[in-house]
Amino acid sequence: MRHIILTGFMGAGKTTVGKLLAQKLGCPFLDTDQLIQQQAGMSISRIFAEKGEETFRSLETAILKEAWTQEEAWVLSVGGGLPMREENRRLLKRIGAVVYLRVNRDTVLRRLSGDTTRPLLSGGNVEERVDSLLAVRGPLYEEGADLVVDADHKTPDAIARELRKLWDQ
Ligand code: S3P
């Protein structure tokens, strides 16, 4: 089995779906945000505040390069901005099958209302921020994906079951 990578906007459910899918497939689950926080010994918000977004983006690329060298199959969920770098999109496709969990702005706003862990959405007008980021990112997520799953009206478990079936075939 090739590795499975979940991409999509903040709030798409990548981590929740990824954990469920890994359970169903009986393989490890990895998450780039978690790995970066462990390695840096600080939260994503602190990395953004103290080291800047560019440093965070470079850590994301470094994690992908490391992950690529591992032989064991796993499910990997990646931060919402990771596929924005062209280099990262290429790496993802080489690593495994890329599944884009697509959600619309209303789903994002509903799921992330009150969230304080995403530096890109803190402060300012969150609706405008989500709209402008989605407009830029949507086409790039699609370009980098092998499969697109519309995730607005499905439970994480239903999506995990759907993906599991595909990988059984
Ligand atoms: C980001 C998404 C976050 C995290 C960081 C930046 C983004 O991950 O990597 O806050 O640029 O969209 P999630 O997509 O898991 O929220």
Side-chain angles (χ1 to χ4, degrees), residues 2 15 83 86-87 98 100 115 123 144-145 148 153 160 162 168:
R2 288 203 298 159
T15 306
E86 212 258 344
E87 178 186 14
V98 183
Y100 166 31
D115 179 89
V148 180
H153 305 294
E162 191 179 319
D168 275 348

Side-chain angles (χ1 to χ4, degrees), residues 2-168:
R2 288 203 298 159
H3 306 306
I4 300 172
I5 297 133
L6 298 174
T7 68
F9 202 76
M10 293 169 266
K14 302 175 294 276
T15 306
T16 314
V17 170
K19 280 183 185 159
L20 290 167
L21 180 59
Q23 259 170 30
K24 291 182 198 299
L25 291 168
C27 67
F29 168 73
L30 304 173
D31 177 90
T32 56
D33 286 343
Q34 265 170 28
L35 292 170
I36 288 171
Q37 290 181 101
Q38 272 164 21
Q39 287 185 4
M42 59 175 97
S43 69
I44 305 258
S45 300
R46 240 183 96 195
I47 298 174
F48 268 71
E50 291 180 15
K51 299 179 186 280
E53 181 173 352
E54 268 316 290
T55 300
F56 176 75
R57 299 301 172 198
S58 298
L59 293 172
E60 289 188 316
T61 302
I63 290 273
L64 280 192
K65 287 183 176 162
E66 263 173 50
W68 188 35
T69 62
Q70 293 179 17
E71 300 236 320
E72 192 188 5
W74 33 246
V75 176
L76 172 72
S77 74
V78 306
L82 182 144
M84 298 306 108
R85 273 196 184 179
E86 212 258 344
E87 178 186 14
N88 291 350
R89 289 199 295 281
R90 253 186 298 120
L91 281 167
L92 289 180
K93 284 226 166 152
R94 272 201 264 161
I95 291 171
V98 183
V99 179
Y100 166 31
L101 297 186
R102 183 164 57 191
V103 285
N104 64 36
R105 48 109 56 192
D106 293 334
T107 301
V108 173
L109 290 170
R110 193 179 63 247
R111 290 188 186 164
L112 296 188
S113 92
D115 179 89
T116 54
T117 64
R118 268 89 170 184
L120 288 186
L121 299 183
S122 67
N125 184 323
V126 178
E127 291 198 19
E128 274 175 17
R129 198 89 196 94
V130 168
D131 286 341
S132 65
L133 281 173
L134 268 179
V136 173
R137 291 179 169 192
L140 295 175
Y141 289 132
E142 283 175 28
E143 182 190 307
D146 297 300
L147 176 71
V148 180
V149 175
D150 281 311
D152 291 303
H153 305 294
K154 290 177 186 159
T155 64
D157 194 60
I159 298 171
R161 272 188 277 118
E162 191 179 319
L163 293 175
R164 155 112 223 210
K165 266 194 222 141
L166 281 177
W167 262 265
D168 275 348

